[in-house]
Amino acid sequence: MLSILVAHTVAALIAPLLVRLWGRQAFLPLAAVPAASLVWVAANWNTEQRLSIEWVPGLSMNIDLRFDSLAAVMSTLVLGIGALILLYCARYFEDDEPRLGIFAAELVAFAGVMFALVTSDNMLMLYIFWELTTVLSFLLVGHYAERASSRRAATQALLVTTAGGLAMLVGIIVLGQMVGSYNLSDVIEAAPRGWLAGTALVLVLVGALSKSAIVPLHFWLPGAMAAPTPVSGYLHAAAMVKAGIYLVARLAPGFADAGPWRFTILTLGLASMLVGGYRALRAYDLKLVLAFGTVSQLGFLVAIVGIGSRTAMLAGLAMVLAHGFFKAALFMVVGIIDHSTGTRDVRKLAHLGDRSPVLAATAVIAAASMAGLPPFLGFIGKETAFESTLDSDAMGPLSSALVLAAMVVGSILTVAYSLRFVWGAFGRKKLRQPSAAVASMHAPGWFFLFPPVLLAVLGLVAGLAAPVVDTLIAPYSKTLPSYGAEDYHLALWHGVNLPLGLTVVVILVGVLLYRVHKAIARTVPAVPLNADRVYDRVLYLMDLLSLRLTGTTQRGSLPGTLATVLATLALFPLISLIVYTRDGVDIRLADSPYQIIVGGIMVAAAIGATIMRNRLAAVLLVGVTGYGCGLIFAVHGAPDLALTQFLVETLTLVVFVLVLRKLPAEIDEGRSFGRKPARAALAALVGITVTLVGAYAMNARSTRPIAELLPDLAYDFGDGSNVVNVILVDIRAWDTFGEISVLLVAATGVASLVFRNRRFGSAPRVSDAPSAMDSAQAASEITWLSGSDLIDPRHRVLVLEITTRLVFPTVMMLSIYFFFAGHNAPGGGFAGGLTAGLALVLRYLAGGRYELGETLPFDAGKILGIGLLFAGGTAVASLFLGAPILSSATFEVTVPILGDIKMVTALFFDLGVYLIVVGLVLDVLRSLGARLDAQIELSRQ
């Protein structure tokens, strides 16, 4: 199983290169990947296989794969039809098709992702693959991105299926927590009951039914016909829409008897069958006829597999295979028609059957299976479905009768639109000669015809070999109860019985309905309630609501927005504590006199910042509170936190000072938000709330604090004595990876706001200065900093230049020391990067913007990217060394002079953090510093 996933991944990666080299012929070797995988599926059909790879056990996200008979049935469709679709693409597209390489990669990747989905036992991994199919379908449906219809269809499919997927994720988490395992096999075996489990089950079904285009979320599928025909033939006939059917079939053994199951599935499934069949009779586009027919057939499939009996599951799996065969074949037939004639409109096609008899015969065979005519597999599946509804023990007499009646009516509609498709595409239509589009058509080649012909013939062969199909799909159906009925087997002939009589009625009434459907369409108006229009209206109302809400809450005032956020932060927790808390809280004012002294200074500085009008003075007072916090860390034995706090506070002050250069020195109280007393009261309220919440949280502790366990855990599992650093680079490395990614985004955002035209590049160097030639003589003399020669002498500080020249190497060495020593002593990549950043700040303040380029002549964006690459690469390195992803793996090396050296892979993660912090500081200095300096210089000229 893992080899199949790897093969599809590799094929998807090299697909653009193959298409570039060989054009559309590259689809031929790409088709070999799913074809070879299908051989593995056939060889292992009757054996259940499991594969478990530990990935993120703390989040229950292990890679657990399970291959059984149900996965085999679904894999046959995914891989077999996927291979034929890739062969079909080799003739459907031309070599000059835009973005053909990307399309090929997406199609191959989709086959691999669908195989992973149907073999995933871990529900969280299943959800990941579930959403990957959504993303890939968005890309495939929107292949013709230059067309508005394609963009709308892709967006519509993305929104609907993603919303359903998010609902499903909530249900998955609830079920997983209730059972204590996220493996599907465990959840189905436990099958929890109760209102909470029922709610979770409905949420999971929302995801499944939205993916399978079930009413009322069916409208995205007809819209998705804007995609290229190979996409329609694969995703919307054999792959993506079958994901929901698969999930319903997978959950049925455990939850078919759950309260909301049958009502939800049967009601919506049968409604889809009727609505889709009705809409198919009113469409003129051949792809839309098939699209609405697909909605109808998917509703039929959901209803059958959702009944939850052995016979119904047997019928459902037979129909899943039959539907994949005939619907993919019919979509490919439509693609050939469109490719050969340039139209899909049934009103513009006449005598096509005479011009292309092989294509017409293929369509007739596939449509006959769709209509449920003997001896095709579609007939056998429909007969079995009728038989399954006759067993009232599963649903009750009244429900069985209603379900059977709905299936009969839906089957009548299916016969009618099957005839409409065949006659609309290939009939003569009372014309003596071919229509213009047919007269000018070019005949399709045999290779183009091969995939649909093979699929149509397979539907016939499978019907004639019904006992063989029964042996292949019966093992999974036996996991469901038989409800006392005799075991039913697939066969072409079961004698004269009620299902056969119903089939005769379905065929006769279906033919009659086709003969009179035009008259009915003229007299019966279209249904006014169109789901597509409802979707547009909902989007419009959501846009309107978001605009009104944004206009109300976002008034363009940053202080006003912050006041709203802080008031919410203060009031809601405080009110909750007052109303719901019954126990008191034990608070000690201080543990030592140092706390009182430092705390008093911090309070005084905070009050001073509130009443101060000078911006710089207020910023410095805020900095005093930060330094005071760092001092408290140091007093309480947290030197690592104290060091980081001091460095961050210093760097923050520098950034504040850089920004304040563009602002007036004094605060205009007349334009400020609110009054000072109100702002001070809000600040005090936030402080009190945070203090009380922290105190209540500490008093609520009932077990041993985890902090007491961290030193041993840090050394035993992270091979480091510095608890803080080990937490950052090992125990909570995922969290750190997310934080440094945010830092990278923040740096990019700041630079993009300042550099509106050109964001990339290094800081300016002396050679880039307009007056560089004039300073050539000065450069030949003794100078402390190269960039300072370009500064106005009135703004130069010689003492600062000399000090910087002497101190800079020492500070950089200190940053390197912090980096290497951080795993066992105070420091680390973050502290080392901050120290190096402060060295850059010192160099910039002393030598100006040109000195910054001389000190570090590199693009900050590249430094940020390399840092993120190092941090992410550590995950792969850990796996190769036998450790879980993003955790420390230790290895020892012997160096001739240094001797034995113990290395930890977390060091490379820390290197990524170091580089990202340095890149962040460089980007901020380059944008808020050097860029603003250039603007100030221009304004002075």
Side-chain angles (χ1 to χ4, degrees), residues 52-64 122-128 182-183 734 885:
S52 182
I53 301 175
E54 189 176 87
W55 185 35
V56 191
L59 297 178
S60 300
M61 291 184 65
N62 296 327
I63 302 175
D64 293 318
N122 186 301
M123 293 190 295
L124 295 177
M125 296 304 302
L126 182 145
Y127 173 76
I128 291 176
Y182 281 90
N183 280 2
W734 279 102
I885 188 170

Side-chain angles (χ1 to χ4, degrees), residues 41-385:
V41 170
N44 295 272
W45 191 287
N46 293 321
T47 60
E48 180 172 330
Q49 298 195 19
R50 291 178 180 266
L51 175 67
S52 182
I53 301 175
E54 189 176 87
W55 185 35
V56 191
L59 297 178
S60 300
M61 291 184 65
N62 296 327
I63 302 175
D64 293 318
L65 302 179
R66 176 191 177 195
F67 181 83
D68 61 357
S69 55
L70 178 60
V73 172
M74 302 305 298
S75 299
T76 300
L77 294 178
V78 169
L79 299 173
I81 296 181
L84 292 175
I85 288 290
L86 288 169
L87 292 177
Y88 180 80
C89 289
R91 291 297 177 268
Y92 180 84
F93 293 108
E94 302 297 334
D95 288 330
D96 58 352
E97 176 79 16
R99 300 181 296 277
L100 187 59
I102 299 299
F103 178 88
E106 292 164 354
L107 202 58
V108 174
F110 198 97
V113 169
M114 272 299 300
F115 178 79
L117 189 154
V118 300
T119 55
S120 291
D121 195 31
N122 186 301
M123 293 190 295
L124 295 177
M125 296 304 302
L126 182 145
Y127 173 76
I128 291 176
F129 294 121
W130 188 278
E131 291 305 302
L132 282 176
T133 62
T134 297
V135 174
L136 289 171
S137 69
F138 167 77
L139 297 173
L140 289 166
V141 172
H143 174 67
Y144 299 123
E146 64 278 1
R147 303 177 186 175
S149 59
S150 293
R151 296 195 300 271
R152 170 186 164 82
T155 303
Q156 189 178 70
L158 179 70
L159 290 177
V160 173
T161 55
T162 300
L166 290 174
M168 185 179 78
L169 177 61
V170 176
I172 285 174
I173 293 174
V174 172
L175 290 175
Q177 292 298 112
M178 291 184 68
V179 176
S181 170
Y182 281 90
N183 280 2
L184 263 173
S185 52
D186 296 333
V187 171
I188 294 170
E189 182 178 0
R193 296 292 190 265
W195 70 269
L196 183 59
T199 303
L201 184 60
V202 170
L203 291 174
V204 172
L205 289 178
V206 168
L209 300 182
S210 65
K211 183 74 80 172
S212 290
I214 300 301
V215 167
L217 302 175
H218 65 288
F219 52 88
W220 69 263
L221 180 57
M225 293 303 107
T229 299
V231 175
S232 303
Y234 188 42
L235 273 64
H236 306 140
M240 179 180 173
V241 294
K242 291 298 195 301
I245 308 297
Y246 161 77
L247 190 56
V248 172
R250 178 65 77 187
L251 294 174
F255 294 98
D257 291 328
W261 177 273
R262 286 199 179 98
F263 176 81
T264 303
I265 287 180
L266 292 176
T267 301
L268 298 180
L270 294 175
S272 300
M273 188 179 186
L274 299 177
V275 170
Y278 172 76
R279 293 294 302 274
L281 285 174
R282 303 184 71 96
Y284 291 99
D285 188 321
L286 287 174
K287 279 185 76 172
L288 281 182
V289 174
L290 293 181
F292 284 113
T294 300
V295 171
S296 179
Q297 291 290 317
L298 291 173
F300 188 28
L301 292 175
V302 163
I304 297 172
V305 300
I307 291 175
S309 68
R310 182 174 300 178
T311 305
M313 185 59 67
L314 188 66
L317 295 182
M319 281 301 302
V320 164
L321 288 174
H323 180 263
F325 293 156
F326 66 67
K327 193 54 65 74
L330 289 174
F331 270 118
M332 285 191 270
V333 166
V334 172
I336 294 175
I337 294 173
D338 192 13
H339 194 276
S340 302
T341 66
T343 184
R344 302 191 305 257
D345 194 327
V346 296
R347 293 167 293 189
K348 298 180 180 180
L349 296 171
H351 289 265
L352 181 59
D354 297 333
R355 296 294 301 270
S356 184
V358 176
L359 186 64
T362 302
V364 169
I365 294 173
S369 183
M370 180 168 65
L373 302 182
F376 299 95
L377 184 59
F379 162 77
I380 294 171
K382 180 175 59 63
E383 289 280 285
T384 310

